[in-house]
Structures are given as structure tokens and as C-alpha cells.
């Protein structure tokens, strides 16, 4: 006899990490290519000397600093072991019955189906538009009396597309007040919208108690390995998150690194301009080679390769560039340093590669529209 395990876990695919090998360019995880700044490393080292002690479970100092930099009350801020842990905790505070529904677009962040199924809630998905953008009208229409939580990933991982403020506000205003809307803004720092249409969830949430925003230190702040994300929303939601939080799951080192990174915010965020310049260069080169690529507001681009997704991923790996294939939907390519992007483009825009793959992306509507 072996211990009985929930049979419904069989429907959750095991995480398959991207393969890697020495010398390969890793453009598969949306990481930053730069290591921590010297000042951040100093803070990490100092915090590490106290590793015999439990960290501050309330994350008080970090929450205070975040609240100040965002201009919100500290009671509106929670910190988690990566924002992916907060995704899980948000399902835990909203869903406790199998017919509770969690709504999200698909394809979107891979963690949403996992955290929903782990909570034994019911996932409800709404297809992206032909342009690989959130179909907010269809999502509003998919809300039922059983909907407890809606994830809107903006910009969307893995397609990079984003919706602007006006469109988002129209959606928020259509969702019933008793449904929690989570705006997952993991790539917020890479957005470049006109100021009057900037989809800043923290601003949109100020007057909407059912809107909560997730951001993270993993992407533009370059701390993916240390696991710190945060939530900003109504104090009632923040209090509820504290109840399901795994104690001490944000280490002292992580808290110290996040604080120091927040202090160095101007320097860290100025790096996003170079990533965006590269993003636009990579996209333009792919379009020139015949691919359809949706406009990206994140640090990656999306190739909707359909049935050829796995073949493209394997061919790219053979060419020394690891990208992220998603089933039969497409391939996500993280923007790396210029020489890494050049290596990817040398593969993807090579005439034989383009001849084999570019046409497969043609299902994407409006993708060559240079707007945004
Ligand atoms: C990377 C990512 C996150 C956060 O990751 P953490 O490292 O857990 O903070 C959250 N949402 C999306 C959509 C992401 O791509």
C-alpha cells in the first residue's frame, strides 16, 4: 500500500524546466541578464550573516518602503515568496468549493491553471483575440455567479501584448463588485504606453476595492532567484492574504535585496530602456524576415507558430539559443543582451529557417501594425 494522493493532481502537468547546456544562450525565462548591483550584493551579504534567525514575517521594512514609493497606505501592501506565491494565496482567499471559478485568458501565465487546480477550484478560460490580446469583452461575458477571481496578465505572458487604461477601465467597470480582479503586472516596468493610456493597476485600484495588483522584483529588478513579489489592494484583501501566507517564506536575504533594489530603482529601471530598444529591434528583424509578431510591451516577443512550435524550439536549441515553446501555440523569446539577440536572429531570420517557419505565424491578425 502506498499513501493515497489526490487523483485530481493527475490533471496538473509537471513543470518541465527549459533544458540548458553550457554555452547556450538562455532566452527562455524572461530574466534580466545583469547580476545584482554591488550595493544589493552588500545588503544580501549583510542579511546572510543573520541566517540563524527567522526573518521578519510581516516584512515591515519592505512594506513600508514599497508603500512610500508607490504612494499607498502600508495596510494596502502584502509581500510574497515571488508573486507566483501570491497568485496561489489569492486563489486560497477566494475559493473553497469545487464550483468556485477562476477566470483567465488563454494562453496566459502558466501558473494560473496550476494554482486554480491545486485549490480544487474550476478554471474558466477565454481565448485571446486573433491578435493575441486579452479579449476583455469576452471575459466580462464569461463571468458567472460562480466567478470568484479573474486574472488579467497585463502585459500578457507569453504574448507580450497589453491593454491600455481606457480599455481596462471599461472592463473593470463591468465586473461585479464582489468578484476579485487581479491585475498581474509582472512586466509593468517594460510598458511604454502614452501617459494618458498607461494601464497602471495601482492607480486603477485606488477607488476599486475589488482590484488587486501584483508586481515582482523578479523581472526588471533582476531578483528572480531570490523570490520576492508584492500585492497592492484593499486592506481587507491584504489581511486575508496574511492568513494563508506560509510563515517566513520571504527570507531575510530576499527582503534585504528587495529593499536595496528599491533604493537603486532609478538605476535598475533605466536598464529597461535598453531592453525595449532591443525588443523593438528584434521584432522589426523578425517581421522583415516574414514572421508575424504581436507588438510587445514586455521583455520578450511571441511567435505564434502553431503546430510548428516544438520544431522551432528544437531547431533554435540546436542553433544554441534556448527559447520557450508552448504546446502548439507558439514560442516566447526573451530579450537578452544584443549578442544573444543577434544569435537568435541569425537562426530565426536565416533564409532556410524563415522559409520553414515564418508562414506558420500568419494566423496572427494585425501583427505587423507598427502602432505601440
Ligand atoms: C514571472 C511572472 C510572475 C512572477 O514571478 P515571481 O518570480 O514568482 O515573482 C508573475 N506573473 C507573471 C505573468 C510572470 O510572468
Amino acid at each position: 500500500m502506498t499513501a493515497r494522493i489526490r487523483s485530481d493532481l493527475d490533471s496538473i502537468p509537471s513543470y518541465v524546466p527549459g533544458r540548458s547546456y553550457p554555452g547556450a544562450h538562455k532566452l527562455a525565462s524572461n530574466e534580466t541578464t545583469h547580476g545584482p548591483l554591488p550595493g544589493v550584493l552588500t545588503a544580501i551579504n549583510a542579511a546572510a550573516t543573520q541566517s540563524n534567525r527567522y526573518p521578519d514575517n510581516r516584512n515591515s521594512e519592505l512594506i513600508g518602503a514599497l508603500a512610500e514609493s508607490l504612494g499607498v497606505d502600508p495596510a494596502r501592501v502584502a509581500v510574497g515568496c515571488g508573486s507566483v506565491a501570491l497568485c496561489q494565496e489569492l486563489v486560497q482567499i477566494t475559493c473553497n468549493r469545487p464550483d468556485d471559478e477562476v477566470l483567465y485568458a488563454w494562453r496566459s501565465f502558466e501558473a494560473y491553471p496550476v494554482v486554480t487546480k491545486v485549490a480544487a477550484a474550476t478554471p474558466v478560460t477565454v481565448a485571446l483575440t486573433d491578435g493575441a490580446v486579452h479579449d476583455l469583452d469576452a471575459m466580462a461575458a464569461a463571468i458567472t455567479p460562480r466567478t470568484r477571481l479573474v486574472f488579467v496578465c497585463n502585459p500578457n505572458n507569453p504574448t507580450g501584448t497589453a491593454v491600455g487604461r481606457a480599455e481596462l477601465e471599461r472592463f473593470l467597470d463591468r465586473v461585479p463588485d464582489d468578484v476579485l480582479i487581479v491585475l498581474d503586472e509582472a512586466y509593468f516596468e517594460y510598458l511604454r504606453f502614452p501617459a494618458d493610456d498607461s494601464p497602471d493597476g495601482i492607480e486603477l485600484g485606488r477607488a476599486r476595492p475589488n482590484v488587486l495588483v501584483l508586481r515582482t522584483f523578479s523581472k526588471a529588478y533582476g531578483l528572480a532567484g531570490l523570490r520576492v513579489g508584492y500585492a497592492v489592494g484593499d486592506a481587507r484583501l491584504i489581511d486575508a492574504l496574511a492568513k494563508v501566507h506560509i510563515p517566513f517564506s520571504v527570507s531575510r536575504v530576499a527582503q534585504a535585496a528587495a529593499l536595496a533594489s528599491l533604493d537603486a530603482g532609478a538605476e535598475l529601471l533605466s536598464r529597461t530602456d535598453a531592453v525595449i530598444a532591443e525588443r523593438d529591434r528584434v521584432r522589426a528583424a523578425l517581421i522583415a524576415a516574414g514572421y508575424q509578431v504581436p507588438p510587445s510591451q514586455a521583455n520578450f516577443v511571441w511567435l505564434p507558430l502553431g503546430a510548428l512550435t516544438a520544431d522551432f524550439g528544437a531547431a533554435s536549441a540546436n542553433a544554441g539559443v534556448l527559447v520557450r515553446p508552448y504546446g502548439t501555440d507558439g514560442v516566447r523569446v526573451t530579450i537578452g543582451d544584443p549578442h544573444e539577440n543577434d544569435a537568435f536572429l541569425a537562426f530565426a531570420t536565416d533564409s532556410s529557417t524563415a522559409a520553414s517557419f515564418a508562414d506558420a505565424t500568419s494566423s496572427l491578425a494585425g501583427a505587423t501594425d507598427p502602432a505601440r
Side-chain angles (χ1 to χ4, degrees):
M1 242 336 241
T2 56
R4 284 170 58 158
I5 295 173
R6 287 166 50 178
S7 58
D8 63 323
L9 293 186
D10 291 344
S11 74
I12 302 178
S14 296
Y15 185 73
V16 183
R19 72 191 174 101
S20 189
Y21 55 85
H25 299 295
K26 190 172 174 245
L27 302 181
S29 298
N30 294 347
E31 298 149 335
T32 306
T33 57
H34 303 274
L37 293 172
V40 175
L41 272 180
T42 302
I44 287 172
N45 285 327
T49 63
Q50 293 182 72
S51 295
N52 53 313
R53 303 288 182 188
Y54 283 108
D56 171 15
N57 191 44
R58 289 171 36 240
N59 300 287
S60 312
E61 205 182 338
L62 178 55
I63 285 178
L66 282 167
E68 189 176 320
S69 84
L70 299 167
V72 300
D73 191 300
R76 290 177 57 78
V77 183
V79 167
C81 178
S83 58
V84 75
L86 290 161
C87 289
Q88 177 149 24
E89 292 166 13
L90 287 160
V91 178
Q92 289 177 317
I93 67 166
T94 50
C95 298
N96 64 348
R97 294 152 37 123
D99 60 353
D100 288 343
E101 293 176 356
V102 178
L103 176 67
Y104 46 85
W106 202 250
R107 189 172 277 275
S108 188
F109 187 34
E110 278 170 298
Y112 304 151
V114 175
V115 296
T116 302
K117 289 176 183 177
V118 166
T122 299
V124 177
T125 59
V126 171
L128 298 171
T129 67
D130 291 345
V133 181
H134 270 77
D135 188 342
L136 293 179
D137 287 337
M139 289 181 73
I143 290 173
T144 75
R146 296 177 298 280
T147 309
R148 293 289 170 270
L149 170 57
V150 184
F151 283 113
V152 178
C153 188
N154 197 42
N156 188 45
N157 178 6
T159 61
T161 53
V163 294
R165 184 174 84 193
E167 199 179 338
L168 197 52
E169 273 191 303
R170 229 179 323 116
F171 172 73
L172 300 179
D173 291 341
R174 285 179 68 184
V175 177
D177 292 347
D178 62 352
V179 174
L180 175 60
I181 306 157
V182 173
L183 302 178
D184 185 341
E185 298 185 340
Y187 302 95
F188 179 79
E189 296 83 1
Y190 295 105
L191 275 168
R192 293 295 185 273
F193 265 62
D196 64 353
D197 198 31
S198 176
D200 180 336
I202 292 177
E203 295 312 315
L204 294 174
R206 285 186 197 275
R208 292 179 175 86
N210 65 329
V211 172
L212 180 138
V213 176
L214 293 179
R215 292 192 189 163
T216 179
F217 284 95
S218 294
K219 306 287 161 54
Y221 282 91
L223 295 180
L226 285 179
R227 319 302 309 128
V228 198
Y230 57 97
V232 180
D234 189 63
R236 251 187 78 244
L237 297 167
I238 300 301
D239 286 348
L241 284 171
K243 298 195 176 174
V244 298
H245 180 70
I246 296 181
F248 309 117
S249 55
V250 184
S251 73
R252 181 188 303 274
V253 168
Q255 293 180 42
L259 262 172
S261 298
L262 203 55
D263 277 346
E267 182 172 357
L268 290 170
L269 296 186
S270 69
R271 294 174 173 173
T272 60
D273 291 334
V275 173
I276 286 161
E278 279 295 287
R279 164 182 94 194
D280 296 345
R281 178 178 78 91
V282 168
R283 178 169 179 250
L286 290 167
I287 289 172
Y291 294 89
Q292 307 266 322
V293 190
S296 172
Q297 290 281 337
N299 65 336
F300 51 85
V301 294
W302 174 247
L303 291 170
L305 287 154
L308 296 189
T309 294
D311 289 350
F312 184 94
S316 183
N318 286 335
V321 184
L322 303 171
V323 295
R324 181 71 70 102
Y326 289 92
T328 54
D329 287 348
V331 166
R332 188 191 69 195
V333 185
T334 302
I335 300 303
D337 287 337
H339 74 279
E340 298 176 299
N341 304 330
D342 283 342
F344 173 70
L345 288 174
F347 157 71
T349 67
D350 171 80
S351 56
S352 89
T353 313
S356 305
F357 292 105
D359 282 353
T361 60
S362 64
S363 64
L364 192 84
T368 49
D369 176 359
R372 284 179 185 164

